[in-house]
Amino acid sequence: MPNTSLRGWGRTAPTRAHVVPVRSAADVTAALASAGPRGVIARGLGRSYGDPAQNAGGTVLDMTGLDRIHSVDADSGRVVVDAGVSLDTLMRAALPFGLWLPVLPGTRQVTVGGAIGADIHGKAHHVVGSFGNHVESLDLVTADGRAHTLTPSDDLFWATVGGMGLTGIVVRAVLVLHHVETAYFTVDTEQIDNLDELMARQSVDDEKYAETVSWFDAVTTGDHAGRGLLMRANHATLDELPPKLRAHPLRFDAPQLLTVPDVFPPGLLNRFTGKLFSELWYRKSPTKLGAIQNITQFLHPLDVLGEWNRGYGPRGFLQYQFVVPLERGDVVRGVLDRMHAAGQVSALNVLKRFGEGNRAPLSFPRPGWTLCVDIPVNDGLGPLCDELDELVLDAGGRHYLAKESRTTPEAIRRGYPRLDEWRKVRDAADPTGVFTSDMSRRLELTS
Amino acid sequence: MIDAVGNPQSVLVMGGTSEIGLAVVEAFASDRPLRVVLAARKSDRLDAARARLEALGCAVETVEFDATAPETHTEVVRTAFAGGDIDVALVAFGLLGDNEVAWTDVDAAVELAQVNYTAAVSVGVALGKRMTEQGHGAIVALSSVAGERARRSNFVYGSTKAGMDAFYSGLTEALRPAGVHVTVVRPGFVHTRMTEGMSPAPLSTTPEAVAAIVVDAVRNRRELVWAPGPLRFVMSALRHVPRPLFRRLPV
């Protein structure tokens, strides 16, 4: 009997499922044995925006209890962790050893299993690739209840990386972390007047920085349309730290100031507040080179506000993220123009240049521009997004499944030409279709 | 699945030739083609409905459905769900009947009661069960303002809609813990085949206008809507008018 309502971080499209907490690989095997006809999917911390960790009428395994860090090897950087460990927890454990997670997305509240399933990326993608590139091996419980240790030489490993949990349940992984001297960044921030300049500027000197991202304003129009902040950083060395930070250079410096209460009315984010926010965000950081910043300041400014997704009110919001080839940077402008013409407001827009992709058939990153916008759900958003899909797909681009919540099966087939190759590997591992999710039904990822 | 912006992928119409039902499907399909299941008796009108939706790019299946045979309804609903999850189910069948015949002829009265009330209940039970199993979905029940306060001119119809309305209002609460959303729609006078030749009441509306209200209700998860909206205020006033006065009103 379905008994728990689940929804994604975008707070849209809730469905109900039977949620089973698991604390061991044996629990996973037992849950698979007793699964009903509507199948099973794993869920971590629920930070995917849409519905990949929901399974209406079926079973959802709550992986957050499978949370042990088994070992940290300071010399090799190798860590052995359970799938339910969050990146936040892992960072806190690894930093004292001078180890840094090479791939960090916009939040640290993601489990290792979820990071593998979505093959997440961060601001360092152009240098280090995505999460799957740093997994040395993973333990996967397949539909028959057996655990397999997979390495990058296995096709099933790459089908699992980016496979949105549909190949089996990842229970443990061996990751290889990077060595750092400090937990701080030296950050170069440039305030740039418009989108064309921003993209031109972001295209040079990329290789000099470990992390690059730009935030820009999509509300302002005219000559200053797309004005923004280009932020690029390297890990600070011990010598670069000011004396007061030098005493504890590996301190996990990530403050959270307040939690957003769940009281926002619909329509809070509108043209006016969007403009105000964009103005403040732009003004807060004038051009400055070589600033020392902590993890929150540089990587996760939104983590300062816990539960910030509540700010979008009861109908929730969606994140629209796509990648287009580098030579099609014009699509970024096209998307913003269409959004503007349709009167849709996105207060925070993130632009990034991806480096090389990896072998995983459903991995999102590929060389190109990736744009991410937040839009509150309102009438007219559906048709607008369908139009944006056409722009993106016609340019040879695709959508990020971890943030997807409304596109069509056809759009995914076009964006991921290796879908059938992935399905073949998946179907061999799960011939009776035990693993399924609201997303896999909605996008017809599995048959 | 219903997606983040409220687009369903599949819609079932119980009463597959209903003009309001088809207008709702068309309204959803104008954003994106759907898989549609039309449950109705075989007829030329059903074939025409299928052709109309296929022209919009919808994939249409039909299921044989007889509202006067409640013992078959579980099986009808099972068949309708055989091709996959149903995201939105519309309960859109009903008879208006001739009030003067209906309150003086047992067979005519019973037929109205069976189609509008008994069948609506048996279909509602079957839909509720299937949607509870699938863990998601929306049921839209087309009630009527006529059920809000029975009038001399159509009280037999009104009484069946009052019962149907009460059932689905209760079902809204009963299915809520199962993640299944039920919307009761109370249209006023709608220009359709059913009301052809009748003189329209004030605030009369069209199937397309009702459909727009239904689509909005599903997207915003509303539980009770009126079509058109201002009827809510008119009816809440009429509900409290004393009988001797109500009798004299031209309604």
Side-chain angles (χ1 to χ4, degrees):
Chain A
M1 179 71 184
N3 52 13
T4 305
S5 181
L6 299 172
R7 55 186 179 179
W9 189 242
R11 294 158 61 93
T12 54
T15 62
R16 294 188 87 90
H18 183 54
V19 175
V20 179
V22 296
R23 303 199 162 274
S24 65
D27 285 355
V28 172
T29 302
L32 292 180
S34 61
R38 290 187 65 88
V40 179
I41 198 73
R43 182 179 178 97
L45 289 161
R47 252 52 172 199
S48 279
Y49 284 78
D51 51 4
Q54 294 169 217
N55 182 21
T59 300
V60 171
L61 303 186
D62 175 356
M63 302 299 291
T64 54
L66 192 61
D67 60 354
R68 279 188 58 200
I69 297 174
H70 296 274
S71 65
V72 177
D73 182 343
D75 294 333
S76 65
R78 197 171 281 122
V79 296
V80 182
V81 290
D82 282 346
V85 171
S86 75
L87 301 190
D88 185 78
T89 304
L90 179 55
M91 282 194 75
R92 287 170 199 273
L95 254 179
F97 297 95
L99 295 177
W100 182 263
L101 252 172
V103 177
L104 280 170
T107 173
R108 293 183 304 275
Q109 303 306 323
V110 176
T111 61
V112 168
I116 293 170
D119 194 24
I120 62 169
H121 57 269
K123 298 173 179 66
H125 185 272
H126 61 293
V127 182
V128 300
S130 52
F131 202 84
N133 299 26
H134 306 274
V135 179
E136 195 175 83
S137 73
L138 58 87
D139 291 356
L140 184 76
V141 177
T142 47
D144 55 11
R146 280 191 228 153
H148 308 262
T149 299
L150 304 172
T151 68
S153 62
D154 299 300
D155 286 345
L156 188 54
F157 176 96
W158 291 109
T160 301
V161 169
M164 302 312 283
L166 296 165
T167 56
I169 307 287
V170 177
V171 290
R172 193 183 283 202
V174 180
L175 310 176
V176 182
L177 309 192
H178 287 184
H179 291 94
V180 290
E181 279 184 33
T182 78
Y184 294 86
F185 292 96
T186 54
V187 182
D188 291 351
T189 304
E190 296 175 60
Q191 214 177 40
I192 296 172
D193 192 48
N194 63 62
L195 186 63
D196 291 339
E197 262 181 61
L198 190 67
M199 291 176 78
R201 196 73 195 93
Q202 198 164 344
S203 303
V204 293
D205 295 343
D206 227 12
E207 68 289 350
K208 292 187 187 161
Y209 295 93
E211 313 255 349
T212 301
V213 70
S214 58
W215 305 80
F216 66 91
D217 161 1
V219 182
T220 303
T221 50
D223 293 345
H224 305 295
R227 63 180 183 169
L229 306 173
L230 173 59
M231 299 163 79
R232 305 195 279 190
N234 284 306
H235 287 276
T237 59
L238 196 54
D239 301 342
E240 288 168 332
L241 289 193
K244 69 175 174 139
L245 294 179
R246 234 174 269 176
H248 302 286
L250 289 168
R251 190 167 77 92
F252 190 76
D253 194 355
Q256 179 175 337
L257 301 183
L258 59 118
T259 292
V260 177
D262 193 7
V263 295
F264 288 93
L268 181 70
L269 181 67
N270 52 42
R271 228 162 237 286
F272 175 73
T273 55
K275 206 168 178 76
L276 189 70
F277 183 83
S278 301
E279 188 71 32
L280 290 173
W281 197 269
Y282 182 68
R283 296 285 169 213
K284 85 176 174 66
S285 312
T287 296
K288 188 176 178 191
L289 304 182
I292 298 290
Q293 292 189 351
N294 65 27
I295 298 165
T296 292
Q297 287 165 322
F298 178 64
L299 278 181
H300 300 130
L302 281 173
D303 275 2
V304 170
L305 301 174
E307 311 278 339
W308 57 268
N309 60 340
R310 289 175 178 170
Y312 285 97
R315 263 188 96 175
F317 69 110
L318 59 85
Q319 245 190 25
Y320 192 81
Q321 182 170 5
F322 63 87
V323 59
V324 286
L326 282 174
E327 66 276 12
R328 292 305 311 273
D330 61 297
V331 172
V332 172
R333 189 54 178 267
V335 163
L336 293 172
D337 287 347
R338 293 272 179 109
M339 279 179 59
H340 201 264
Q344 300 287 358
V345 180
S346 168
L348 259 194
N349 309 281
V350 183
L351 185 66
K352 159 99 198 121
R353 271 165 60 100
F354 278 148
E356 285 303 312
N358 63 25
R359 276 177 55 195
L362 294 192
S363 175
F364 169 64
R366 51 155 293 170
W369 290 99
T370 181
L371 174 70
C372 180
V373 297
D374 277 353
I375 322 176
V377 173
N378 52 55
D379 298 331
L381 182 56
L384 169 70
C385 288
D386 286 344
E387 267 183 58
L388 302 184
D389 287 357
E390 287 305 311
L391 283 181
V392 167
L393 295 168
D394 289 347
R398 63 180 170 223
H399 300 88
Y400 185 22
L401 289 172
K403 296 190 175 175
E404 210 296 301
S405 61
R406 41 125 315 264
T407 197
T408 60
E410 168 62 15
I412 298 303
R413 271 199 298 278
R414 279 180 71 189
Y416 290 87
R418 295 172 67 198
L419 184 63
D420 285 338
E421 179 191 333
W422 172 81
R423 268 192 189 152
K424 223 176 192 171
V425 178
R426 194 213 88 90
D427 291 352
D430 180 14
T432 58
V434 170
F435 297 106
T436 181
S437 63
D438 286 1
M439 172 173 272
S440 77
R441 269 189 285 269
R442 184 171 57 79
L443 297 178
E444 297 170 12
L445 297 177
T446 54
S447 39
Chain B
M1 305 302 306
I2 295 180
D3 70 15
V5 295
N7 279 330
Q9 290 178 301
S10 55
V11 176
L12 163 65
V13 188
M14 301 300 298
T17 57
S18 146
E19 283 165 83
I20 296 175
L22 292 172
V24 172
V25 176
E26 283 182 346
F28 276 123
S30 69
D31 272 8
R32 209 176 259 186
L34 304 159
R35 185 169 71 83
V36 183
V37 184
L38 299 177
R41 272 186 300 219
K42 284 201 178 99
S43 70
D44 293 345
R45 278 220 307 276
L46 182 59
D47 297 337
R50 172 202 276 269
R52 202 168 112 186
L53 296 177
E54 281 175 346
L56 294 174
C58 295
V60 184
E61 302 158 41
T62 57
V63 178
E64 181 100 24
F65 167 54
D66 178 357
T68 62
E71 68 282 3
T72 63
H73 291 173
T74 302
E75 183 58 20
V76 171
V77 168
R78 197 196 62 75
T79 311
F81 278 67
D85 288 7
I86 295 292
D87 301 330
V88 178
L90 306 170
V91 179
F93 55 90
L95 293 173
L96 184 56
D98 179 328
N99 193 61
E100 297 315 301
V101 175
W103 77 268
T104 53
D105 180 297
V106 169
D107 292 343
V110 167
E111 190 191 16
L112 270 192
Q114 277 192 336
V115 172
N116 291 357
Y117 178 68
T118 309
V121 169
S122 63
V123 161
V125 170
L127 288 173
K129 192 160 178 289
R130 295 299 309 209
M131 286 205 171
T132 298
E133 284 163 9
Q134 72 179 19
H136 72 105
I139 298 173
V140 178
L142 294 181
S143 174
S144 168
V145 292
E148 184 66 3
R149 182 162 187 186
R151 291 173 292 150
R152 169 66 184 82
S153 61
N154 70 352
F155 70 91
V156 182
Y157 173 79
S159 72
T160 62
K161 284 296 184 183
M164 184 259 199
D165 190 296
F167 174 79
Y168 279 93
S169 298
L171 199 63
T172 304
E173 303 307 319
L175 291 180
R176 192 217 276 270
V180 179
H181 190 84
V182 182
T183 302
V184 174
V185 185
R186 291 183 187 155
F189 187 99
V190 187
H191 292 274
T192 61
R193 224 167 35 235
M194 193 192 251
T195 58
E196 220 170 326
M198 296 171 61
S199 51
L203 293 175
S204 68
T205 186
T206 62
E208 292 70 31
V210 178
I213 288 170
V214 169
V215 166
D216 178 72
V218 170
R219 290 198 172 142
N220 289 288
R221 300 194 193 107
R222 295 189 210 286
E223 293 170 346
L224 174 64
V225 290
W226 301 73
L231 272 179
R232 155 169 281 160
F233 306 106
V234 174
M235 290 311 295
S236 69
L238 281 181
R239 189 165 47 214
H240 301 292
V241 172
R243 271 187 197 216
L245 189 57
F246 188 67
R247 185 172 291 148
R248 290 154 179 262
L249 290 178
V251 292

